[in-house]
């Protein structure tokens, strides 16, 4: 017996218009191709930007005699927040659910039906957003195999086509992204829309999601819907960064748990296929490998890792992974190698090699976060004596997970043999269900042991830093660059 598909409600698509005529026209033309005006309608709201008259003329010419498309012009500039509020609270009297769609987007076929169906599937869903090539935590892929590569709409579209059916239909998230923001009408009727404190823009959608969440409504990603997004072009110079930092400060004062909620989502809640999305469709002809150094980087470890680096052919790119306590030793030992310190960088690999015994929950968590495939070198042996079992009892708790989810386990013999083993493991197809089991098992252990900590309050230091940054955005940019160089 198949599950009944919920009946979705009609939608009014509100497109706030300010500038960027070329992007706006692409968006409207895409809506003409994808929206069924027998069910839904489009409302274009001109917020009288610098080229308001030219934009008005082109829009009116484009939608002339087009049913379901309506154009309005504000008497004065209201800013993004004010424009959206006027459209949803005053202009649209249809009773429809409301989709706020940025004018620099290109919605792809089927996006609206999918989003509206997800919204209708659970009464607790208050807001739904689509996936995109440029939408912070809703971006696909969020983490890339090659951090030096440029994210492109073509890459996201191709990847989404491959992974669409592997992903769950929706994912609950702390917030939805404002570029494509579908809101249940009854939620608007109950809570209004955006707080004017976030005018002219930035952070208003996050505040809305967290505000309605207090009443039990959730924000979700519609994983099967895709809307391409150019990105913010509204504010030039330091104004954009200053607004972002100031509004982030307001958010964290109102919702001290917000940063931890995002970290919890990224490190625990996301589907594993989403985490490693970029590895399902390699596009650069190389095998990208994370070589996880042992907890103690001694002469033997240095010699082995150096030998592997030297033996690697051009189509196997190796990055060394180390813990923070060993970062300085690793940099001295491998001055020319690519090196990452354990954390959650926005990079994933095709294979992680556990070089030496994994003897800590931190090492296991790093192994889990880096790649969908594991290759263990000199794996932990089973202890036959009680004296050894007592000394290595923590290892014993980790060992079953390592053995259950490794793709191969080898003993060290030579760098050439290890390269051959890496190539063999990297050629294996990714089993999505097995990957999910592994991701959840390790994440559960990390949560249970306290390895992942999510404080429900924000430090005064961070609030002060945001306040200072809002006054001098260039300083924040400079400090972040210095910090990244040291990481």
């Amino acid at each position: 017996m198949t599950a009944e598909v919920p009946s979705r409600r009609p939608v009014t698509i509100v497109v706030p218009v300010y500038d960027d005529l070329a992007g706006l026209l692409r968006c409207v033309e895409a809506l003409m191709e994808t929206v069924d005006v027998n069910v839904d309608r489009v409302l274009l709201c001109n917020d009288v930007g610098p080229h308001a008259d030219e934009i008005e003329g082109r829009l009116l010419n484009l939608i002339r005699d087009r049913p379901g498309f309506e154009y309005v012009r504000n008497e004065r500039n209201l800013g993004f927040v004010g424009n959206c509020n006027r459209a949803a609270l005053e202009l649209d009297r249809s009773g429809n659910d409301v989709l706020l769609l940025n004018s620099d987007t290109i919605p792809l076929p089927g996006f609206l039906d999918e989003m509206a169906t997800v919204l209708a599937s659970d009464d607790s869903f208050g807001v739904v957003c689509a996936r995109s090539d440029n939408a912070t935590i809703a971006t696909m892929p969020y983490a890339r195999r090659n951090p030096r590569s440029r994210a492109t709409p073509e890459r996201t579209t191709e990847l989404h086509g491959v992974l669409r059916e592997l992903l769950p239909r929706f994912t609950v998230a702390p917030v939805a992204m404002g570029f494509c923001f579908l809101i249940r009408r009854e939620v608007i009727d109950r809570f209004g829309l955006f707080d004017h404190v976030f005018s002219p823009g930035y952070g208003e959608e996050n505040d809305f999601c967290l505000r309605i969440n207090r009443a039990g409504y959730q924000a979700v990603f519609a994983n099967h819907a895709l809307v391409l997004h150019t990105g913010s072009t509204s504010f030039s110079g330091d104004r954009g960064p200053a607004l972002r930092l100031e509004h982030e400060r307001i958010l964290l004062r109102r919702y001290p748990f917000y940063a931890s909620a995002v970290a919890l989502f990224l490190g625990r809640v996301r589907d594993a296929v989403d985490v490693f999305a970029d590895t399902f469709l390699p596009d650069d002809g190389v095998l990208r490998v994370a070589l996880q150094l042992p907890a103690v980087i001694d002469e033997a470890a240095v010699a082995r890792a150096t030998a592997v680096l030297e033996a690697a052919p051009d189509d196997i790119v190796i990055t060394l992974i180390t813990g923070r306590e060993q970062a300085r030793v690793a940099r001295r030992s491998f001055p020319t190698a690519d090196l990452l310190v354990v954390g959650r960088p926005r990079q994933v690999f095709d294979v992680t090699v556990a070089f030496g015994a994994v003897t800590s929950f931190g090492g296991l968590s790093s192994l889990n976060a880096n790649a969908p495939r594991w290759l263990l070198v000199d794996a932990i042996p089973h202890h036959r004596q009680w004296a050894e079992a007592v000394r290595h009892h923590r290892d014993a708790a980790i060992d079953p997970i390592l053995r259950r989810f490794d793709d191969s386990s080898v003993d060290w013999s030579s760098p050439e043999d290890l390269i051959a083993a890496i190539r063999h493991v990297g050629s294996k197809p990714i089993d999505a269900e097995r990957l999910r089991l592994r991701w959840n098992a390790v994440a559960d252990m990390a949560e249970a042991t306290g390895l992942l900590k999510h404080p429900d309050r924000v430090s005064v230091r961070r609030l002060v830093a945001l306040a200072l940054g809002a006054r001098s955005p260039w300083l924040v940019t400079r400090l972040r660059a210095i910090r990244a160089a040291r990481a």
Side-chain angles (χ1 to χ4, degrees), residues 10-34:
V11 174
T12 296
I13 302 174
V14 173
V15 181
V17 175
Y18 179 73
D19 205 0
D20 182 23
L21 177 59
L24 170 64
L25 295 179
R26 286 194 296 270
C27 176
V28 175
E29 287 168 355
L31 289 174
M32 290 178 173
E33 295 176 0
T34 57

Side-chain angles (χ1 to χ4, degrees), residues 240-309:
L243 283 172
R244 287 182 186 275
L245 293 167
E246 173 58 22
H247 291 178
E248 182 181 351
R249 185 181 69 86
I250 296 172
L251 277 173
L252 289 175
R253 287 178 68 88
R254 289 185 175 183
Y255 313 100
F257 59 87
Y258 173 54
S260 290
V262 174
L264 176 61
F265 171 78
L266 293 175
R268 178 68 182 87
V269 175
R270 283 183 304 166
D271 186 82
V273 171
D274 212 347
V275 175
F276 298 108
D278 210 27
T279 66
F280 280 79
L281 191 65
D283 63 341
D284 55 9
V286 301
L287 188 64
R288 297 191 177 272
V289 179
L291 185 60
Q292 187 162 308
L293 297 170
V296 177
I297 304 177
D298 54 20
E299 290 184 3
V302 171
R304 288 184 176 184
T306 300
V308 174
L309 290 170

Side-chain angles (χ1 to χ4, degrees), residues 416-478:
E416 292 76 16
D417 286 345
L418 184 55
I419 291 295
I422 289 172
R423 197 180 293 281
H424 172 69
V425 170
S427 68
K428 292 183 175 182
I430 301 171
D431 184 330
E433 289 307 315
R434 183 171 178 269
L435 180 60
R436 287 189 178 99
L437 289 173
R438 189 201 84 188
W439 176 259
N440 292 330
V442 177
D444 286 345
M445 177 179 284
E447 293 281 4
T449 59
L451 177 65
L452 296 180
K453 297 180 180 180
H454 307 293
D456 60 358
R457 61 190 61 210
V458 63
S459 69
V460 174
R461 180 179 178 182
R462 182 169 184 182
L463 292 175
V464 170
L466 288 170
L468 292 174
R471 296 177 185 175
S472 302
W474 65 269
L475 179 60
V476 174
T477 302
R478 177 61 180 160

Side-chain angles (χ1 to χ4, degrees), residues 89-107:
L89 302 176
E90 299 176 25
L91 299 177
D92 180 37
R93 296 297 183 181
S94 65
N96 293 351
D97 294 335
V98 175
L99 172 64
L100 302 176
L101 184 69
N102 280 16
S103 62
D104 59 351
T105 60
I106 300 178

